[in-house]
Amino acid sequence: MDSETRITPAQQSRPAGFVEVADRVLVARYPEWDVNVGLVLGRDGAVVVDTRASGPQGRRVLDDVRRLGRDIVVTHVVNTHVHFDHTFGNVAFEAATVHAHDNVGRTLAAHAAHYKDLFRADPGDAPEAGYTARDVADLLATRIRRPDRTFGSHATIDLGDRCVTMAWRGRGHTDGDIGVTVPDTDVLFLGDLVEESAPPSFGEDSWPLDWADTLSAHLVETADHTVVVPGHGRPVDVAFVARQRDEVATVATFVRERRDAGVALDDALREADARLPYPVEGLADAFRRGYAQLPRPS
């Protein structure tokens, strides 16, 4: 689907399964939609961060966890935001409590129905995004599991010898994006608020005028050595996040300028500009959503 397309070059090598990025904090990167899944191990259980795009894909995550050690019990799942490639695998984690922002609980059913309709209309292979018709069939057959616990601004998961914190700091990629922090290791999962393997995804439910401020609020809580795990692509440092924040802010500034100048939406989408950090043809939803947020020029 257009808003979730990821470029996944075949020549880019990736380690298989979970790789440790800090003490007992691991990341696995899967080729279908090029999505990351996090794993935080504690004395009293484990947290999985995001679950992939179907029940079978979620079960493969669980299999990869078990390969690390049969004594690992996934007690909690966290969804960084509502999108199908991060939530549809929830159903595989039957014994875990699923956590997400309030807005994910409110919108997941409608989001799932919408994307299932889109995939029914276009169920074929999409090698540019790393998925096959079989993956689509699995997605369509998946029963959607909504979060068990939702929160408004902050929540914490206690793993006995460490905690995992969740924080919502504003709208961006969606209205329910959260940051997931492991404070004793200084690792931050940011979901699709940040992407490494492609430009940020301004989709039909994004908030382009808010996004940069939301990233700034998350950056306030980081240090120079913080490891940031994006929703797609390799882990990055805070300098990468700051640069992408500035690029997102540039998009927002450009949208405001064109709206304030009375430029019609269709005309704005036809006019390339060297100041834009991303190709204008990939910013249609950013302009549409931004124009809708702003008052009409007088």
Side-chain angles (χ1 to χ4, degrees):
M1 298 301 99
D2 290 345
S3 66
E4 291 298 326
T5 296
R6 301 295 188 280
I7 303 302
T8 57
Q11 69 271 23
Q12 185 174 355
S13 62
R14 301 190 186 107
F18 282 98
V19 175
E20 194 168 41
V21 296
D23 176 35
R24 294 176 295 153
V25 181
L26 302 95
V27 178
R29 184 177 175 187
Y30 294 94
E32 298 86 358
W33 290 280
D34 191 25
V35 71
N36 287 328
V37 174
L39 177 66
V40 184
L41 305 178
R43 185 189 65 203
D44 296 339
V47 176
V48 164
V49 182
D50 290 335
T51 60
R52 306 182 68 197
S54 67
Q57 288 186 7
R59 287 190 287 275
R60 286 194 286 274
V61 171
L62 198 51
D63 288 343
D64 285 343
V65 172
R66 288 169 177 157
R67 288 189 186 96
L68 298 172
R70 286 285 175 177
D71 58 335
I72 298 173
V73 178
V74 177
T75 50
H76 300 271
V77 161
V78 178
N79 295 144
T80 59
H81 62 293
V82 72
H83 286 161
F84 69 90
D85 50 332
H86 301 261
T87 58
F88 277 22
N90 289 354
V91 69
F93 296 85
E94 298 176 359
T97 300
V98 179
H99 304 256
H101 186 260
D102 288 340
N103 288 335
V104 175
R106 179 179 58 82
T107 61
L108 179 56
H111 169 83
H114 174 61
Y115 268 88
K116 284 191 174 188
D117 285 345
L118 292 177
F119 279 111
R120 285 189 191 98
D122 184 13
D125 297 344
E128 75 282 359
Y131 68 84
T132 66
R134 177 70 258 175
D135 296 319
V136 174
D138 288 341
L139 181 157
L140 292 173
T142 293
R143 174 178 60 84
I144 304 306
R145 180 180 174 189
R146 298 175 63 182
D148 303 300
R149 296 181 183 173
T150 65
F151 64 94
S153 58
H154 293 84
T156 301
I157 297 170
D158 185 357
L159 293 178
D161 59 340
R162 71 195 321 185
C163 66
V164 173
T165 62
M166 299 165 282
W168 182 84
R169 303 196 184 279
R171 304 179 299 193
H173 177 65
T174 69
D175 64 2
D177 303 291
I178 61 171
V180 182
T181 306
V182 188
D184 64 285
T185 61
D186 210 7
V187 173
L188 172 62
F189 295 87
L190 274 182
D192 288 4
L193 283 169
V194 170
E195 298 201 38
E196 186 274 335
S197 58
S201 178
F202 293 94
E204 60 191 3
D205 54 354
S206 65
W207 296 88
L209 305 186
D210 300 28
W211 195 331
D213 287 343
T214 296
L215 279 174
S216 291
H218 282 291
L219 282 168
V220 166
E221 303 299 323
T222 63
D224 289 343
H225 56 274
T226 298
V227 175
V228 179
V229 181
H232 306 267
R234 295 170 295 183
V236 298
D237 57 19
V238 293
F240 180 97
V241 178
R243 287 193 299 273
Q244 195 159 99
R245 183 268 320 273
D246 292 345
E247 291 170 354
V248 169
T250 297
V251 172
T253 296
F254 200 79
V255 169
R256 287 190 177 95
E257 286 180 1
R258 295 223 166 159
R259 180 64 160 168
D260 290 346
V263 178
L265 177 60
D266 289 345
D267 292 336
L269 291 172
R270 282 194 292 265
E271 296 176 17
D273 192 293
R275 293 175 296 164
L276 283 171
Y278 316 119
V280 70
E281 55 268 22
L283 296 174
D285 281 323
F287 276 86
R288 292 189 189 103
R289 295 284 291 175
Y291 268 45
Q293 277 187 264
L294 292 167
R296 292 182 179 275
S298 55

